[in-house]
Amino acid sequence: MSIDEATSAESPGAAAVTARQREMVERTLREWRGELEGRVAVVTGGARGIGRCMAEGLVRAGARVVAADRTWDGAEDFRKQLEADQGMAVEMDITDDAQLDAALAAVLDRFGTVDILINNAALVSETLFYPTGHRNTLDTTDDDWRVMFDVNVFGTLKVIRRFIRPMQEKKRGSIINVVSSGVLNVAAGGGYHGLRPWTVEMPYQATKAAVTALTFYLGEEVRGDGVAVNAIMPGHTRASWFDATARAFNDIGVVYFMRPAIAEHLLPITLFLSAQDGRGAAGRLYYVPEWNYDHGFGDYAAWQDHELPADMEEMYGRLEAAMPQYERAGVPHLPFDAQGALYTAAMANLGAQESWAGGSTQ
Ligand SMILES: NC(=O)c1ccc[n+]([C@@H]2O[C@H](COP(=O)([O-])OP(=O)(O)OC[C@H]3O[C@@H](n4cnc5c(N)ncnc54)[C@H](O)[C@@H]3O)[C@@H](O)[C@H]2O)c1
């Protein structure tokens, strides 16, 4: 298959990638349906983006799903579908104690317990600083930090404190915290450095680092109660804000990094971790594209979105055509620094003065 075939929406290559994605989703559903049938799963931020995809996957795996979100505006169709599937759509701002108490009471009233909690709700840089998401650390205000910590850290903690109770009572449950690979430290010789600090993401990554540490420490504290607490780091995913961000960058002549993955790339690990408890995998942090690769669910390229709207297909097609030939096939599976270098080279080939991380490409 040529590179052009692999990157064009109409090509057999793109169609084959999409068909394989559907096959992988079906495979993981078949694998976990027996375990997850009838379990009660709560997904925060479940109305759209990654959370909606997780909620839909859990429904298809036979779970009784509660999707909780601060707002359902624009997600009415999904709300109706979820309710038709015997699930619950709940309005729940994770920073609001009264709404959290009411939501827990409603879930217990309806389903009697909670087996799985996915802490997915968050503000990301692109929603706090809409649409491009970029602000240098010294240009952020104390309020930016407060707002983000209120949702991503204190909100997540408030949810856990409540929804873990039924799990501790019955000595079984699974909590999955959605964090980000931007929290990672990488050893190089004698010291550690950030995986990709050039992505300019404060205070977002500070909040995700806090939730990552919480995962390890809480995970150790409650595994004896039968509760698994794990964290996952998604790949670059086309969530609800993605198209607006990519288009805003395009307006200033920048392609917003690599072609994104579809949110379904998170389903295999989400179903696997949902089926864990304190006796299984617990207290772990997983980078989803690597976990998929290690478990037969393809590399990052296998999950890239080849069904983008025409204008975005043009952006990513342009970037891919300008990327140095040799590395192109392996790009999505390269470490971040190598991906970043190739991306920068492609942007330079396109004659751009700026790249996604805000730096010069020259
Ligand atoms: N998309 C990516 O590439 C990516 C990469 C790494 C990590 N993540 C993480 O994935 C998770 C989902 O993000 P996404 O990209 O799907 O973004 P998104 O904005 O599409 O979805 C986030 C959801 O959380 C909800 N939410 C926000 N504040 C809330 C609050 N106070 N109470 C309840 N709900 C609230 C939003 O309404 C929205 O439905 C986040 O934890 C994010 O940090 C995403």
Side-chain angles (χ1 to χ4, degrees):
M1 182 201 311
S2 75
I3 296 299
D4 286 347
E5 277 174 339
T7 55
S8 155
E10 287 85 40
S11 75
V17 172
T18 303
R20 182 165 175 235
Q21 290 166 354
R22 296 199 175 116
E23 179 277 315
M24 290 190 289
V25 168
E26 290 305 322
R27 176 152 40 101
T28 195
L29 289 169
R30 275 197 306 279
E31 190 175 354
W32 293 108
R33 199 170 279 125
E35 290 272 351
L36 296 174
E37 190 87 52
R39 301 254 183 116
V40 179
V42 176
V43 184
T44 68
R48 58 189 65 74
I50 286 173
R52 171 179 171 161
C53 179
M54 289 171 155
E56 288 177 323
L58 283 159
V59 167
R60 292 182 66 198
R64 291 175 290 171
V65 174
V66 181
D69 209 296
R70 176 180 54 165
T71 168
W72 283 85
D73 287 355
E76 293 82 5
D77 285 356
F78 174 48
R79 176 174 211 153
K80 273 195 206 114
Q81 184 55 51
L82 183 62
E83 284 165 354
D85 287 333
Q86 309 305 318
M88 262 176 100
V90 178
E91 245 143 67
M92 180 181 95
D93 184 324
I94 63 170
T95 66
D96 185 319
D97 288 298
Q99 286 189 19
L100 286 166
D101 288 338
L104 176 62
V107 172
L108 293 180
D109 190 46
R110 169 89 179 270
F111 294 128
T113 192
V114 176
D115 299 294
I116 299 154
L117 168 64
I118 304 186
N119 287 305
N120 164 79
L123 293 173
V124 298
S125 291
E126 291 81 358
T127 48
L128 184 69
F129 304 128
Y130 185 84
T132 62
H134 271 209
R135 193 144 312 173
N136 288 330
T137 306
L138 295 182
D139 296 330
T140 61
T141 65
D142 289 357
D143 267 348
D144 295 331
W145 286 67
R146 249 178 239 119
V147 166
M148 216 168 222
F149 269 81
D150 270 351
V151 177
N152 297 7
V153 181
F154 295 109
T156 298
L157 187 58
K158 283 172 188 288
V159 175
I160 292 174
R161 284 191 202 287
R162 289 167 172 83
F163 286 82
I164 198 173
R165 278 186 227 139
M167 303 186 198
Q168 287 180 303
E169 275 162 23
K170 65 183 179 190
K171 301 272 182 227
R172 194 189 78 189
S174 175
I175 297 177
I176 304 171
N177 296 325
V178 184
V179 295
S180 165
S181 61
V183 306
L184 291 177
N185 301 264
V186 182
Y192 288 84
H193 61 89
L195 178 70
R196 51 178 174 89
W198 39 269
T199 57
V200 189
E201 291 181 274
M202 285 289 121
Y204 170 68
Q205 293 295 357
T207 67
K208 292 293 170 179
V211 176
T212 304
L214 167 77
T215 302
F216 293 134
Y217 284 81
L218 176 70
E220 184 61 25
E221 289 163 21
V222 300
R223 66 185 297 161
D225 297 340
V227 182
V229 185
N230 291 289
I232 57 175
M233 302 176 282
H236 182 53
T237 309
R238 188 170 168 223
S240 68
W241 46 268
F242 191 96
D243 294 10
T245 298
R247 288 177 173 131
F249 273 110
N250 194 50
D251 287 346
I252 54 167
V254 173
V255 182
Y256 178 49
F257 207 47
M258 306 291 186
R259 180 185 291 270
I262 57 170
E264 283 79 358
H265 84 284
L266 290 141
L267 285 184
I269 194 168
T270 299
L271 301 187
F272 159 68
L273 289 177
S274 293
Q276 302 303 307
D277 59 34
R279 290 165 292 273
R284 316 273 291 191
L285 168 68
Y286 297 101
Y287 182 49
V288 180
E290 294 293 338
W291 187 95
N292 279 338
Y293 186 74
D294 288 348
H295 292 82
F297 288 101
D299 62 8
Y300 181 76
W303 291 98
Q304 279 181 305
D305 194 331
H306 290 276
E307 296 185 315
L308 299 171
D311 61 326
M312 290 175 59
E313 197 59 51
E314 190 278 325
M315 289 173 213
Y316 286 102
R318 190 160 26 97
L319 180 77
E320 285 154 2
M323 203 154 273
Q325 195 71 23
Y326 163 74
E327 292 90 345
R328 220 182 325 174
V331 162
H333 199 58
L334 289 175
F336 254 100
D337 272 357
Q339 277 190 37
L342 288 170
Y343 163 78
T344 305
M347 289 302 292
N349 285 342
L350 290 171
Q353 300 301 309
E354 296 290 320
S355 70
W356 163 52
S360 168
T361 59
Q362 305 302 312

